[in-house]
Amino acid sequence: MSLLTVGSVAFDALETPFGKTDKIIGGAATYITLSASYFTKDNNLVAVVGDDFPQSMINDLNQHGINTEGLEIRQGEKTFFWSGKYHDDMNTRDTVEVQLNVMEHFDPIIPDAYQDCQYLMLGNTAPAIQQKVIERLTNRPKLIVLDTMNLWIDIANADLMNLLKLVDVLVVNDEEARQLTRQPSLVKAAAKIKEMGPQTVIIKKGEHGALLFQNDQVFFAPALPLAEVFDPTGAGDTFAGGFIGHLAKTDDISFDNMKRAIIYGSAMASFCVEKFGAERIMNLTDEEIKSRVDEFVKLSAFGL
Ligand code: AMP
């Protein structure tokens, strides 16, 4: 089934305890579509970049089967830039600099060919822009998944509250879930988010895995204990791409299949952190993914 992803395509500069990068390709939608490309070939991107964005990277996205017809290139403008520095625990980071550039006036245009998309992934960008995408689709997709971040909870709370009423699944990290709901307990936070709109809530806990809540059911997916984590940037987006990619591939949105989808998402995220930026998820094989998913199955399988 067809997948439409909207979100940032960016230049990032990163610093982790293991090293530093100058401007490299990043952005939420970049990670999501690359991750989803291992699951679905009907993989459509809506985003905006400036004329400084390299054509070679657009070619790389296309080589992964990502349709970039909806990637607007604004002449005379610069691509969104974000820089972040990780703390020693690698689970928390500070935003060092943001240059909105083209994102300041991002007006998402949905190509006609994308109109029949069944799965919509609203990757990180302003909630008002994410809502425009829903409004500009003639038919409501079968599943709408929303990602957001602390910035929008702070500065665009009313927009976010309106948007939450329109989506099926919210994907946030534990800190964002607590910030959004003012509930220290993640179980209570998930219940409160369900009252805000989305009937399925995924709370990511970094190296401690992810929780999936729907009705009164809960599922926990561990994160793979990795000896080396170089750079967690994009892990959340890569997780979301694997999650929705698996759902779009199987066209099954049952709770049981969402459990499998969060394992696929977790497996993809575990690759992402192994190298800086999107390098690792640009170069994966189906065999590597299969064997990583098998490791997840083994990780918490036990008999009684
Ligand atoms: P993650 O590590 O999964 O939270 O995602 C990191 C990506 O989010 C980076 O590649 C950034 O370019 C992107 N990003 C950071 N801040 C923003 C923002 N305000 N709007 C859109 N994308 C952002």
Side-chain angles (χ1 to χ4, degrees):
M1 283 287 154
S2 56
L3 168 64
L4 166 56
T5 299
V6 62
S8 53
V9 170
F11 286 127
D12 290 346
L14 312 167
E15 187 173 345
T16 81
F18 299 99
K20 225 176 149 166
T21 66
D22 277 333
K23 278 188 178 181
I24 57 170
I25 304 295
T30 309
Y31 286 102
I32 294 166
T33 50
L34 281 169
S35 177
S37 73
Y38 294 93
F39 301 89
T40 176
K41 293 296 157 220
D42 199 345
N43 190 4
N44 305 292
L45 170 67
V46 165
V48 63
V49 290
D51 62 8
D52 54 349
F53 194 76
Q55 181 60 43
S56 60
M57 184 59 203
I58 300 176
N59 297 344
D60 285 345
L61 294 176
N62 296 149
Q63 266 158 22
H64 280 82
I66 298 162
N67 184 352
T68 53
E69 192 190 335
L71 179 66
E72 187 190 350
I73 302 169
R74 288 251 181 105
Q75 296 305 317
E77 291 190 46
K78 281 184 165 179
T79 300
F80 174 79
F81 172 74
W82 173 81
S83 101
K85 184 173 176 185
Y86 286 84
H87 301 165
D88 284 345
D89 68 2
M90 297 287 265
N91 263 336
T92 48
R93 71 182 177 207
D94 295 324
T95 292
V96 177
E97 192 183 347
V98 174
Q99 292 171 17
L100 285 177
N101 300 330
V102 282
M103 287 297 266
E104 199 168 349
H105 307 291
F106 180 28
D107 188 28
I109 298 156
I110 320 288
D112 288 347
Y114 293 10
Q115 277 293 345
D116 61 353
C117 81
Q118 296 293 304
Y119 289 80
L120 174 60
M121 180 70 228
L122 297 170
N124 189 11
T125 186
I129 295 170
Q130 293 171 315
Q131 184 157 342
K132 271 191 194 166
V133 175
I134 299 178
E135 288 165 358
R136 290 176 180 179
L137 288 169
T138 36
N139 297 311
R140 189 193 193 278
K142 183 168 172 178
L143 191 80
I144 304 179
V145 179
L146 172 70
D147 186 12
T148 191
M149 72 184 293
N150 50 1
L151 173 75
W152 310 119
I153 299 170
D154 274 343
I155 69 164
N157 200 274
D159 288 349
L160 182 60
M161 287 301 156
N162 285 333
L163 175 62
L164 281 169
K165 294 185 193 121
L166 307 177
V167 308
D168 302 303
V169 182
L170 178 69
V171 186
V172 279
N173 67 33
D174 44 359
E175 199 185 322
E176 291 156 352
R178 292 189 172 108
Q179 188 187 350
L180 183 63
T181 61
R182 296 174 203 279
Q183 289 288 342
S185 147
L186 293 180
V187 174
K188 286 187 180 163
K192 201 150 183 198
I193 293 168
K194 281 189 252 166
E195 285 169 19
M196 295 171 179
Q199 288 310 293
T200 304
V201 180
I202 297 174
I203 301 182
K204 298 167 292 175
K205 288 150 54 75
E207 65 173 329
H208 306 297
L211 290 159
L212 168 70
F213 296 89
Q214 190 185 76
N215 300 321
D216 52 1
Q217 308 177 91
V218 191
F219 177 69
F220 172 67
L224 202 65
L226 293 169
E228 280 173 344
V229 174
F230 276 98
D231 171 24
T233 307
D237 305 310
T238 302
F239 170 93
F243 173 77
I244 200 161
H246 173 74
L247 295 179
K249 175 185 173 183
T250 50
D251 193 24
D252 172 358
I253 56 171
S254 66
F255 186 72
D256 269 348
N257 201 41
M258 283 196 187
K259 290 187 197 175
R260 284 187 280 275
I262 88 165
I263 296 293
Y264 277 103
S266 304
M268 296 306 289
S270 75
F271 286 118
C272 179
V273 302
E274 288 178 348
K275 289 200 173 157
F276 271 102
E279 193 185 334
R280 187 69 178 102
I281 53 157
M282 289 194 67
N283 298 295
L284 280 172
T285 64
D286 291 342
E287 291 68 36
E288 284 176 312
I289 296 171
K290 190 183 170 307
S291 99
R292 187 61 61 96
V293 169
D294 288 344
E295 283 185 63
F296 270 83
V297 173
K298 280 194 216 123
L299 187 62
S300 39
F302 66 98
L304 281 179

